[in-house]
Amino acid sequence: MSDALDATPYDALLLLSFGGPEGPDDVVPFLENVTRGRGIPKERLKEVGQHYFLFGGVSPINDQNRALLDALRKDFAEHGLDLPIYWGNRNWAPYLTDTLREMAADGRRRVLVLATSAYASYSGCRQYRENLADSVAELAAEGIEPPKVDKLRHYFNHPGFVDPMIDGVLRSLADLPEDVRAGAHIAFTTHSVPTASADTSGPVEAHGEGGAYVEEHLEVAELIADAVRERTGVDHPWRLVYQSRSGAPGTPWLEPDICDHLEALHGAGVPAVVMAPIGFVSDHMEVLYDLDTEATAKAAELGLPVRRSATVGADPRFAAAIRDLVLERAGVESGREVTPCALGALGASHNLCPVGCCPARAPRPAAAGADSPYA
């Protein structure tokens, strides 16, 4: 194998995701896993689970991860990258700890981790790193030598992530009625998080209003809007908005909410809207319910034409981007000269999360960072 396709020192890739129920009987136990330690009554979880019950109790995220695994394995095989790929979830089978146990049994000693979250935030990065630390500690307590885990850098501005979303927005604009197309607004959406969490996202030097979380999303939104303008000749107005808020009503979260934004746009006379879920790797429950169901119903109530553009999912360009990121990190760890691939002004993200990056409210050990006890 040529150096260009050599993943040394890594001997496996782990796809790490959130997980989701795969039937009605799974919904409440899944939500109990997600909310463990918060003391939420089971009856309340049943209410929250109604979003899943509308879709037969099945979250699409697991099938979408299976499709991504297939795309990654196909891409790696076609390009001669001999790197086995495993899959583990935080909150549902296949569970992360079980997968790491399997990897240890298979003799995997150093593993790269791909999280299905492209941006810097506590819930999108550090919480995954905390889960990795918990699983590594659990294996060690069982007398199993766990593999060393490194996390791939944030890929929000990699062209293999951005380009499919550009195409998705263009398709959605083309699908709008011609008489409203030129005046369409683009609402770039992502998961709302508490403002306190957003403000401390990313490295310490990025902390401030919105932190790296908002800054990175704004970068992606601008990249897409610029590309749309170049390809269509139309400068569509746009805004970064939020969805899927949860938690206590009195806690400030990032705003505006997508449904409130649709009302404001309608009131301002905007003729049509494309909702572009740039904060999500695939069409999982937040996209299917909060956009395709709730926000689309709000738009219908307003008489506002809307289209929802595609997420990246298992697009071959995204699979190729992951291969690129794997080889980039392997090159760095092997001491080879590497030129990271990234669009926009922010450049490539850090490989090793620094101390103080996306801190938790209560300090907990986290793997794959400068403050990790599992170096």
Side-chain angles (χ1 to χ4, degrees), residues 195-222:
T195 56
S197 177
D199 292 348
T200 56
S201 58
V204 172
E205 60 269 21
H207 293 180
E209 187 175 355
Y213 185 72
V214 171
E215 182 181 40
E216 290 169 1
H217 280 87
L218 288 172
E219 173 100 319
V220 172
E222 188 166 8

mmCIF file with all atom_site columns, all heavy atoms in Angstrom, residues 195-222:
data_model
loop_
_atom_site.group_PDB
_atom_site.id
_atom_site.type_symbol
_atom_site.label_atom_id
_atom_site.label_alt_id
_atom_site.label_comp_id
_atom_site.label_asym_id
_atom_site.label_entity_id
_atom_site.label_seq_id
_atom_site.pdbx_PDB_ins_code
_atom_site.Cartn_x
_atom_site.Cartn_y
_atom_site.Cartn_z
_atom_site.occupancy
_atom_site.B_iso_or_equiv
_atom_site.pdbx_formal_charge
_atom_site.auth_seq_id
_atom_site.auth_comp_id
_atom_site.auth_asym_id
_atom_site.auth_atom_id
_atom_site.pdbx_PDB_model_num
ATOM 1   N N   . THR A 1 195 ? -27.652 29.104 25.599 1.00 0.00 ? 195 THR A N   1
ATOM 2   C CA  . THR A 1 195 ? -26.697 30.133 25.216 1.00 0.00 ? 195 THR A CA  1
ATOM 3   C C   . THR A 1 195 ? -25.402 30.031 26.025 1.00 0.00 ? 195 THR A C   1
ATOM 4   O O   . THR A 1 195 ? -24.321 30.307 25.498 1.00 0.00 ? 195 THR A O   1
ATOM 5   C CB  . THR A 1 195 ? -27.298 31.538 25.398 1.00 0.00 ? 195 THR A CB  1
ATOM 6   O OG1 . THR A 1 195 ? -27.741 31.694 26.759 1.00 0.00 ? 195 THR A OG1 1
ATOM 7   C CG2 . THR A 1 195 ? -28.480 31.746 24.454 1.00 0.00 ? 195 THR A CG2 1
ATOM 8   N N   . ALA A 1 196 ? -25.517 29.587 27.273 1.00 0.00 ? 196 ALA A N   1
ATOM 9   C CA  . ALA A 1 196 ? -24.311 29.436 28.097 1.00 0.00 ? 196 ALA A CA  1
ATOM 10  C C   . ALA A 1 196 ? -23.392 28.373 27.510 1.00 0.00 ? 196 ALA A C   1
ATOM 11  O O   . ALA A 1 196 ? -22.161 28.488 27.566 1.00 0.00 ? 196 ALA A O   1
ATOM 12  C CB  . ALA A 1 196 ? -24.685 29.083 29.529 1.00 0.00 ? 196 ALA A CB  1
ATOM 13  N N   . SER A 1 197 ? -23.980 27.319 26.950 1.00 0.00 ? 197 SER A N   1
ATOM 14  C CA  . SER A 1 197 ? -23.191 26.262 26.320 1.00 0.00 ? 197 SER A CA  1
ATOM 15  C C   . SER A 1 197 ? -22.584 26.754 25.015 1.00 0.00 ? 197 SER A C   1
ATOM 16  O O   . SER A 1 197 ? -21.410 26.492 24.726 1.00 0.00 ? 197 SER A O   1
ATOM 17  C CB  . SER A 1 197 ? -24.073 25.035 26.069 1.00 0.00 ? 197 SER A CB  1
ATOM 18  O OG  . SER A 1 197 ? -23.355 24.019 25.402 1.00 0.00 ? 197 SER A OG  1
ATOM 19  N N   . ALA A 1 198 ? -23.366 27.478 24.231 1.00 0.00 ? 198 ALA A N   1
ATOM 20  C CA  . ALA A 1 198 ? -22.837 28.020 22.977 1.00 0.00 ? 198 ALA A CA  1
ATOM 21  C C   . ALA A 1 198 ? -21.682 28.974 23.242 1.00 0.00 ? 198 ALA A C   1
ATOM 22  O O   . ALA A 1 198 ? -20.653 28.933 22.543 1.00 0.00 ? 198 ALA A O   1
ATOM 23  C CB  . ALA A 1 198 ? -23.948 28.738 22.207 1.00 0.00 ? 198 ALA A CB  1
ATOM 24  N N   . ASP A 1 199 ? -21.831 29.824 24.251 1.00 0.00 ? 199 ASP A N   1
ATOM 25  C CA  . ASP A 1 199 ? -20.821 30.857 24.526 1.00 0.00 ? 199 ASP A CA  1
ATOM 26  C C   . ASP A 1 199 ? -19.477 30.268 24.921 1.00 0.00 ? 199 ASP A C   1
ATOM 27  O O   . ASP A 1 199 ? -18.442 30.937 24.776 1.00 0.00 ? 199 ASP A O   1
ATOM 28  C CB  . ASP A 1 199 ? -21.309 31.791 25.640 1.00 0.00 ? 199 ASP A CB  1
ATOM 29  C CG  . ASP A 1 199 ? -22.498 32.640 25.218 1.00 0.00 ? 199 ASP A CG  1
ATOM 30  O OD1 . ASP A 1 199 ? -22.810 32.680 24.010 1.00 0.00 ? 199 ASP A OD1 1
ATOM 31  O OD2 . ASP A 1 199 ? -23.143 33.241 26.107 1.00 0.00 ? 199 ASP A OD2 1
ATOM 32  N N   . THR A 1 200 ? -19.466 29.044 25.427 1.00 0.00 ? 200 THR A N   1
ATOM 33  C CA  . THR A 1 200 ? -18.208 28.413 25.850 1.00 0.00 ? 200 THR A CA  1
ATOM 34  C C   . THR A 1 200 ? -17.802 27.273 24.911 1.00 0.00 ? 200 THR A C   1
ATOM 35  O O   . THR A 1 200 ? -16.984 26.434 25.273 1.00 0.00 ? 200 THR A O   1
ATOM 36  C CB  . THR A 1 200 ? -18.312 27.882 27.291 1.00 0.00 ? 200 THR A CB  1
ATOM 37  O OG1 . THR A 1 200 ? -19.421 26.970 27.384 1.00 0.00 ? 200 THR A OG1 1
ATOM 38  C CG2 . THR A 1 200 ? -18.502 29.010 28.280 1.00 0.00 ? 200 THR A CG2 1
ATOM 39  N N   . SER A 1 201 ? -18.380 27.249 23.715 1.00 0.00 ? 201 SER A N   1
ATOM 40  C CA  . SER A 1 201 ? -18.039 26.188 22.764 1.00 0.00 ? 201 SER A CA  1
ATOM 41  C C   . SER A 1 201 ? -16.733 26.519 22.054 1.00 0.00 ? 201 SER A C   1
ATOM 42  O O   . SER A 1 201 ? -16.394 27.677 21.820 1.00 0.00 ? 201 SER A O   1
ATOM 43  C CB  . SER A 1 201 ? -19.158 26.016 21.736 1.00 0.00 ? 201 SER A CB  1
ATOM 44  O OG  . SER A 1 201 ? -19.410 27.223 21.044 1.00 0.00 ? 201 SER A OG  1
ATOM 45  N N   . GLY A 1 202 ? -16.003 25.459 21.726 1.00 0.00 ? 202 GLY A N   1
ATOM 46  C CA  . GLY A 1 202 ? -14.723 25.623 21.057 1.00 0.00 ? 202 GLY A CA  1
ATOM 47  C C   . GLY A 1 202 ? -13.596 25.916 22.036 1.00 0.00 ? 202 GLY A C   1
ATOM 48  O O   . GLY A 1 202 ? -13.789 25.938 23.262 1.00 0.00 ? 202 GLY A O   1
ATOM 49  N N   . PRO A 1 203 ? -12.394 26.155 21.529 1.00 0.00 ? 203 PRO A N   1
ATOM 50  C CA  . PRO A 1 203 ? -11.258 26.498 22.396 1.00 0.00 ? 203 PRO A CA  1
ATOM 51  C C   . PRO A 1 203 ? -11.536 27.788 23.167 1.00 0.00 ? 203 PRO A C   1
ATOM 52  O O   . PRO A 1 203 ? -12.377 28.599 22.766 1.00 0.00 ? 203 PRO A O   1
ATOM 53  C CB  . PRO A 1 203 ? -10.106 26.689 21.402 1.00 0.00 ? 203 PRO A CB  1
ATOM 54  C CG  . PRO A 1 203 ? -10.536 25.998 20.156 1.00 0.00 ? 203 PRO A CG  1
ATOM 55  C CD  . PRO A 1 203 ? -12.021 26.093 20.114 1.00 0.00 ? 203 PRO A CD  1
ATOM 56  N N   . VAL A 1 204 ? -10.814 27.990 24.238 1.00 0.00 ? 204 VAL A N   1
ATOM 57  C CA  . VAL A 1 204 ? -11.055 29.136 25.113 1.00 0.00 ? 204 VAL A CA  1
ATOM 58  C C   . VAL A 1 204 ? -10.991 30.451 24.339 1.00 0.00 ? 204 VAL A C   1
ATOM 59  O O   . VAL A 1 204 ? -11.798 31.361 24.566 1.00 0.00 ? 204 VAL A O   1
ATOM 60  C CB  . VAL A 1 204 ? -10.036 29.135 26.279 1.00 0.00 ? 204 VAL A CB  1
ATOM 61  C CG1 . VAL A 1 204 ? -10.134 30.417 27.081 1.00 0.00 ? 204 VAL A CG1 1
ATOM 62  C CG2 . VAL A 1 204 ? -10.271 27.934 27.187 1.00 0.00 ? 204 VAL A CG2 1
ATOM 63  N N   . GLU A 1 205 ? -10.077 30.554 23.385 1.00 0.00 ? 205 GLU A N   1
ATOM 64  C CA  . GLU A 1 205 ? -9.948  31.815 22.648 1.00 0.00 ? 205 GLU A CA  1
ATOM 65  C C   . GLU A 1 205 ? -11.158 32.092 21.751 1.00 0.00 ? 205 GLU A C   1
ATOM 66  O O   . GLU A 1 205 ? -11.359 33.227 21.309 1.00 0.00 ? 205 GLU A O   1
ATOM 67  C CB  . GLU A 1 205 ? -8.670  31.827 21.803 1.00 0.00 ? 205 GLU A CB  1
ATOM 68  C CG  . GLU A 1 205 ? -8.586  30.732 20.755 1.00 0.00 ? 205 GLU A CG  1
ATOM 69  C CD  . GLU A 1 205 ? -7.914  29.467 21.254 1.00 0.00 ? 205 GLU A CD  1
ATOM 70  O OE1 . GLU A 1 205 ? -7.862  29.273 22.497 1.00 0.00 ? 205 GLU A OE1 1
ATOM 71  O OE2 . GLU A 1 205 ? -7.443  28.688 20.414 1.00 0.00 ? 205 GLU A OE2 1
ATOM 72  N N   . ALA A 1 206 ? -11.989 31.077 21.499 1.00 0.00 ? 206 ALA A N   1
ATOM 73  C CA  . ALA A 1 206 ? -13.195 31.258 20.686 1.00 0.00 ? 206 ALA A CA  1
ATOM 74  C C   . ALA A 1 206 ? -14.423 31.574 21.528 1.00 0.00 ? 206 ALA A C   1
ATOM 75  O O   . ALA A 1 206 ? -15.482 31.866 20.983 1.00 0.00 ? 206 ALA A O   1
ATOM 76  C CB  . ALA A 1 206 ? -13.459 30.008 19.848 1.00 0.00 ? 206 ALA A CB  1
ATOM 77  N N   . HIS A 1 207 ? -14.289 31.515 22.856 1.00 0.00 ? 207 HIS A N   1
ATOM 78  C CA  . HIS A 1 207 ? -15.441 31.749 23.722 1.00 0.00 ? 207 HIS A CA  1
ATOM 79  C C   . HIS A 1 207 ? -15.904 33.202 23.626 1.00 0.00 ? 207 HIS A C   1
ATOM 80  O O   . HIS A 1 207 ? -15.131 34.114 23.368 1.00 0.00 ? 207 HIS A O   1
ATOM 81  C CB  . HIS A 1 207 ? -15.091 31.412 25.175 1.00 0.00 ? 207 HIS A CB  1
ATOM 82  C CG  . HIS A 1 207 ? -14.840 29.951 25.402 1.00 0.00 ? 207 HIS A CG  1
ATOM 83  N ND1 . HIS A 1 207 ? -14.513 29.431 26.634 1.00 0.00 ? 207 HIS A ND1 1
ATOM 84  C CD2 . HIS A 1 207 ? -14.871 28.890 24.561 1.00 0.00 ? 207 HIS A CD2 1
ATOM 85  C CE1 . HIS A 1 207 ? -14.347 28.121 26.538 1.00 0.00 ? 207 HIS A CE1 1
ATOM 86  N NE2 . HIS A 1 207 ? -14.551 27.775 25.278 1.00 0.00 ? 207 HIS A NE2 1
ATOM 87  N N   . GLY A 1 208 ? -17.178 33.393 23.832 1.00 0.00 ? 208 GLY A N   1
ATOM 88  C CA  . GLY A 1 208 ? -17.801 34.700 23.689 1.00 0.00 ? 208 GLY A CA  1
ATOM 89  C C   . GLY A 1 208 ? -19.217 34.487 23.213 1.00 0.00 ? 208 GLY A C   1
ATOM 90  O O   . GLY A 1 208 ? -19.736 33.366 23.287 1.00 0.00 ? 208 GLY A O   1
ATOM 91  N N   . GLU A 1 209 ? -19.864 35.495 22.716 1.00 0.00 ? 209 GLU A N   1
ATOM 92  C CA  . GLU A 1 209 ? -21.259 35.364 22.312 1.00 0.00 ? 209 GLU A CA  1
ATOM 93  C C   . GLU A 1 209 ? -21.404 34.336 21.179 1.00 0.00 ? 209 GLU A C   1
ATOM 94  O O   . GLU A 1 209 ? -20.923 34.542 20.074 1.00 0.00 ? 209 GLU A O   1
ATOM 95  C CB  . GLU A 1 209 ? -21.817 36.713 21.845 1.00 0.00 ? 209 GLU A CB  1
ATOM 96  C CG  . GLU A 1 209 ? -23.310 36.665 21.581 1.00 0.00 ? 209 GLU A CG  1
ATOM 97  C CD  . GLU A 1 209 ? -23.883 38.031 21.239 1.00 0.00 ? 209 GLU A CD  1
ATOM 98  O OE1 . GLU A 1 209 ? -23.135 39.019 21.303 1.00 0.00 ? 209 GLU A OE1 1
ATOM 99  O OE2 . GLU A 1 209 ? -25.074 38.090 20.908 1.00 0.00 ? 209 GLU A OE2 1
ATOM 100 N N   . GLY A 1 210 ? -22.029 33.236 21.494 1.00 0.00 ? 210 GLY A N   1
ATOM 101 C CA  . GLY A 1 210 ? -22.227 32.170 20.510 1.00 0.00 ? 210 GLY A CA  1
ATOM 102 C C   . GLY A 1 210 ? -21.062 31.225 20.374 1.00 0.00 ? 210 GLY A C   1
ATOM 103 O O   . GLY A 1 210 ? -21.220 30.111 19.867 1.00 0.00 ? 210 GLY A O   1
ATOM 104 N N   . GLY A 1 211 ? -19.880 31.632 20.781 1.00 0.00 ? 211 GLY A N   1
ATOM 105 C CA  . GLY A 1 211 ? -18.709 30.774 20.736 1.00 0.00 ? 211 GLY A CA  1
ATOM 106 C C   . GLY A 1 211 ? -18.448 30.193 19.350 1.00 0.00 ? 211 GLY A C   1
ATOM 107 O O   . GLY A 1 211 ? -18.918 30.696 18.328 1.00 0.00 ? 211 GLY A O   1
ATOM 108 N N   . ALA A 1 212 ? -17.675 29.120 19.318 1.00 0.00 ? 212 ALA A N   1
ATOM 109 C CA  . ALA A 1 212 ? -17.342 28.474 18.050 1.00 0.00 ? 212 ALA A CA  1
ATOM 110 C C   . ALA A 1 212 ? -18.568 27.841 17.409 1.00 0.00 ? 212 ALA A C   1
ATOM 111 O O   . ALA A 1 212 ? -18.635 27.727 16.181 1.00 0.00 ? 212 ALA A O   1
ATOM 112 C CB  . ALA A 1 212 ? -16.257 27.422 18.267 1.00 0.00 ? 212 ALA A CB  1
ATOM 113 N N   . TYR A 1 213 ? -19.544 27.437 18.220 1.00 0.00 ? 213 TYR A N   1
ATOM 114 C CA  . TYR A 1 213 ? -20.731 26.772 17.681 1.00 0.00 ? 213 TYR A CA  1
ATOM 115 C C   . TYR A 1 213 ? -21.448 27.670 16.667 1.00 0.00 ? 213 TYR A C   1
ATOM 116 O O   . TYR A 1 213 ? -21.724 27.255 15.539 1.00 0.00 ? 213 TYR A O   1
ATOM 117 C CB  . TYR A 1 213 ? -21.672 26.411 18.826 1.00 0.00 ? 213 TYR A CB  1
ATOM 118 C CG  . TYR A 1 213 ? -22.888 25.602 18.415 1.00 0.00 ? 213 TYR A CG  1
ATOM 119 C CD1 . TYR A 1 213 ? -22.759 24.276 18.040 1.00 0.00 ? 213 TYR A CD1 1
ATOM 120 C CD2 . TYR A 1 213 ? -24.166 26.163 18.433 1.00 0.00 ? 213 TYR A CD2 1
ATOM 121 C CE1 . TYR A 1 213 ? -23.874 23.520 17.678 1.00 0.00 ? 213 TYR A CE1 1
ATOM 122 C CE2 . TYR A 1 213 ? -25.285 25.423 18.078 1.00 0.00 ? 213 TYR A CE2 1
ATOM 123 C CZ  . TYR A 1 213 ? -25.133 24.093 17.709 1.00 0.00 ? 213 TYR A CZ  1
ATOM 124 O OH  . TYR A 1 213 ? -26.241 23.356 17.346 1.00 0.00 ? 213 TYR A OH  1
ATOM 125 N N   . VAL A 1 214 ? -21.727 28.888 17.055 1.00 0.00 ? 214 VAL A N   1
ATOM 126 C CA  . VAL A 1 214 ? -22.414 29.811 16.145 1.00 0.00 ? 214 VAL A CA  1
ATOM 127 C C   . VAL A 1 214 ? -21.483 30.243 15.021 1.00 0.00 ? 214 VAL A C   1
ATOM 128 O O   . VAL A 1 214 ? -21.887 30.302 13.846 1.00 0.00 ? 214 VAL A O   1
ATOM 129 C CB  . VAL A 1 214 ? -22.948 31.024 16.923 1.00 0.00 ? 214 VAL A CB  1
ATOM 130 C CG1 . VAL A 1 214 ? -23.462 32.098 15.965 1.00 0.00 ? 214 VAL A CG1 1
ATOM 131 C CG2 . VAL A 1 214 ? -24.055 30.590 17.879 1.00 0.00 ? 214 VAL A CG2 1
ATOM 132 N N   . GLU A 1 215 ? -20.237 30.530 15.342 1.00 0.00 ? 215 GLU A N   1
ATOM 133 C CA  . GLU A 1 215 ? -19.289 30.990 14.331 1.00 0.00 ? 215 GLU A CA  1
ATOM 134 C C   . GLU A 1 215 ? -19.122 29.969 13.210 1.00 0.00 ? 215 GLU A C   1
ATOM 135 O O   . GLU A 1 215 ? -19.112 30.319 12.021 1.00 0.00 ? 215 GLU A O   1
ATOM 136 C CB  . GLU A 1 215 ? -17.936 31.278 14.991 1.00 0.00 ? 215 GLU A CB  1
ATOM 137 C CG  . GLU A 1 215 ? -16.883 31.820 14.030 1.00 0.00 ? 215 GLU A CG  1
ATOM 138 C CD  . GLU A 1 215 ? -15.555 32.076 14.714 1.00 0.00 ? 215 GLU A CD  1
ATOM 139 O OE1 . GLU A 1 215 ? -15.148 31.253 15.571 1.00 0.00 ? 215 GLU A OE1 1
ATOM 140 O OE2 . GLU A 1 215 ? -14.912 33.083 14.379 1.00 0.00 ? 215 GLU A OE2 1
ATOM 141 N N   . GLU A 1 216 ? -19.018 28.699 13.569 1.00 0.00 ? 216 GLU A N   1
ATOM 142 C CA  . GLU A 1 216 ? -18.830 27.657 12.559 1.00 0.00 ? 216 GLU A CA  1
ATOM 143 C C   . GLU A 1 216 ? -20.071 27.495 11.684 1.00 0.00 ? 216 GLU A C   1
ATOM 144 O O   . GLU A 1 216 ? -19.965 27.319 10.460 1.00 0.00 ? 216 GLU A O   1
ATOM 145 C CB  . GLU A 1 216 ? -18.469 26.342 13.247 1.00 0.00 ? 216 GLU A CB  1
ATOM 146 C CG  . GLU A 1 216 ? -17.077 26.350 13.867 1.00 0.00 ? 216 GLU A CG  1
ATOM 147 C CD  . GLU A 1 216 ? -16.791 25.178 14.774 1.00 0.00 ? 216 GLU A CD  1
ATOM 148 O OE1 . GLU A 1 216 ? -17.678 24.300 14.933 1.00 0.00 ? 216 GLU A OE1 1
ATOM 149 O OE2 . GLU A 1 216 ? -15.682 25.114 15.347 1.00 0.00 ? 216 GLU A OE2 1
ATOM 150 N N   . HIS A 1 217 ? -21.250 27.560 12.296 1.00 0.00 ? 217 HIS A N   1
ATOM 151 C CA  . HIS A 1 217 ? -22.475 27.469 11.500 1.00 0.00 ? 217 HIS A CA  1
ATOM 152 C C   . HIS A 1 217 ? -22.621 28.662 10.555 1.00 0.00 ? 217 HIS A C   1
ATOM 153 O O   . HIS A 1 217 ? -23.048 28.507 9.404  1.00 0.00 ? 217 HIS A O   1
ATOM 154 C CB  . HIS A 1 217 ? -23.699 27.373 12.418 1.00 0.00 ? 217 HIS A CB  1
ATOM 155 C CG  . HIS A 1 217 ? -23.935 26.012 12.972 1.00 0.00 ? 217 HIS A CG  1
ATOM 156 N ND1 . HIS A 1 217 ? -23.344 25.571 14.130 1.00 0.00 ? 217 HIS A ND1 1
ATOM 157 C CD2 . HIS A 1 217 ? -24.710 24.977 12.530 1.00 0.00 ? 217 HIS A CD2 1
ATOM 158 C CE1 . HIS A 1 217 ? -23.746 24.337 14.394 1.00 0.00 ? 217 HIS A CE1 1
ATOM 159 N NE2 . HIS A 1 217 ? -24.569 23.955 13.423 1.00 0.00 ? 217 HIS A NE2 1
ATOM 160 N N   . LEU A 1 218 ? -22.290 29.835 11.038 1.00 0.00 ? 218 LEU A N   1
ATOM 161 C CA  . LEU A 1 218 ? -22.352 31.018 10.173 1.00 0.00 ? 218 LEU A CA  1
ATOM 162 C C   . LEU A 1 218 ? -21.393 30.884 8.996  1.00 0.00 ? 218 LEU A C   1
ATOM 163 O O   . LEU A 1 218 ? -21.702 31.303 7.871  1.00 0.00 ? 218 LEU A O   1
ATOM 164 C CB  . LEU A 1 218 ? -22.040 32.277 10.978 1.00 0.00 ? 218 LEU A CB  1
ATOM 165 C CG  . LEU A 1 218 ? -23.126 32.735 11.959 1.00 0.00 ? 218 LEU A CG  1
ATOM 166 C CD1 . LEU A 1 218 ? -22.608 33.880 12.826 1.00 0.00 ? 218 LEU A CD1 1
ATOM 167 C CD2 . LEU A 1 218 ? -24.390 33.178 11.208 1.00 0.00 ? 218 LEU A CD2 1
ATOM 168 N N   . GLU A 1 219 ? -20.221 30.309 9.247  1.00 0.00 ? 219 GLU A N   1
ATOM 169 C CA  . GLU A 1 219 ? -19.258 30.091 8.165  1.00 0.00 ? 219 GLU A CA  1
ATOM 170 C C   . GLU A 1 219 ? -19.849 29.180 7.096  1.00 0.00 ? 219 GLU A C   1
ATOM 171 O O   . GLU A 1 219 ? -19.762 29.457 5.890  1.00 0.00 ? 219 GLU A O   1
ATOM 172 C CB  . GLU A 1 219 ? -17.977 29.475 8.743  1.00 0.00 ? 219 GLU A CB  1
ATOM 173 C CG  . GLU A 1 219 ? -16.969 29.045 7.698  1.00 0.00 ? 219 GLU A CG  1
ATOM 174 C CD  . GLU A 1 219 ? -15.848 30.063 7.520  1.00 0.00 ? 219 GLU A CD  1
ATOM 175 O OE1 . GLU A 1 219 ? -16.125 31.269 7.514  1.00 0.00 ? 219 GLU A OE1 1
ATOM 176 O OE2 . GLU A 1 219 ? -14.699 29.644 7.364  1.00 0.00 ? 219 GLU A OE2 1
ATOM 177 N N   . VAL A 1 220 ? -20.471 28.071 7.514  1.00 0.00 ? 220 VAL A N   1
ATOM 178 C CA  . VAL A 1 220 ? -21.046 27.130 6.555  1.00 0.00 ? 220 VAL A CA  1
ATOM 179 C C   . VAL A 1 220 ? -22.206 27.773 5.802  1.00 0.00 ? 220 VAL A C   1
ATOM 180 O O   . VAL A 1 220 ? -22.332 27.630 4.577  1.00 0.00 ? 220 VAL A O   1
ATOM 181 C CB  . VAL A 1 220 ? -21.490 25.845 7.267  1.00 0.00 ? 220 VAL A CB  1
ATOM 182 C CG1 . VAL A 1 220 ? -22.266 24.930 6.324  1.00 0.00 ? 220 VAL A CG1 1
ATOM 183 C CG2 . VAL A 1 220 ? -20.275 25.104 7.823  1.00 0.00 ? 220 VAL A CG2 1
ATOM 184 N N   . ALA A 1 221 ? -23.069 28.491 6.526  1.00 0.00 ? 221 ALA A N   1
ATOM 185 C CA  . ALA A 1 221 ? -24.195 29.163 5.878  1.00 0.00 ? 221 ALA A CA  1
ATOM 186 C C   . ALA A 1 221 ? -23.701 30.134 4.812  1.00 0.00 ? 221 ALA A C   1
ATOM 187 O O   . ALA A 1 221 ? -24.244 30.195 3.688  1.00 0.00 ? 221 ALA A O   1
ATOM 188 C CB  . ALA A 1 221 ? -25.032 29.894 6.924  1.00 0.00 ? 221 ALA A CB  1
ATOM 189 N N   . GLU A 1 222 ? -22.661 30.891 5.122  1.00 0.00 ? 222 GLU A N   1
ATOM 190 C CA  . GLU A 1 222 ? -22.139 31.858 4.164  1.00 0.00 ? 222 GLU A CA  1
ATOM 191 C C   . GLU A 1 222 ? -21.514 31.163 2.961  1.00 0.00 ? 222 GLU A C   1
ATOM 192 O O   . GLU A 1 222 ? -21.672 31.614 1.810  1.00 0.00 ? 222 GLU A O   1
ATOM 193 C CB  . GLU A 1 222 ? -21.112 32.771 4.847  1.00 0.00 ? 222 GLU A CB  1
ATOM 194 C CG  . GLU A 1 222 ? -20.663 33.917 3.977  1.00 0.00 ? 222 GLU A CG  1
ATOM 195 C CD  . GLU A 1 222 ? -19.932 34.994 4.756  1.00 0.00 ? 222 GLU A CD  1
ATOM 196 O OE1 . GLU A 1 222 ? -19.632 34.787 5.944  1.00 0.00 ? 222 GLU A OE1 1
ATOM 197 O OE2 . GLU A 1 222 ? -19.659 36.050 4.157  1.00 0.00 ? 222 GLU A OE2 1
#
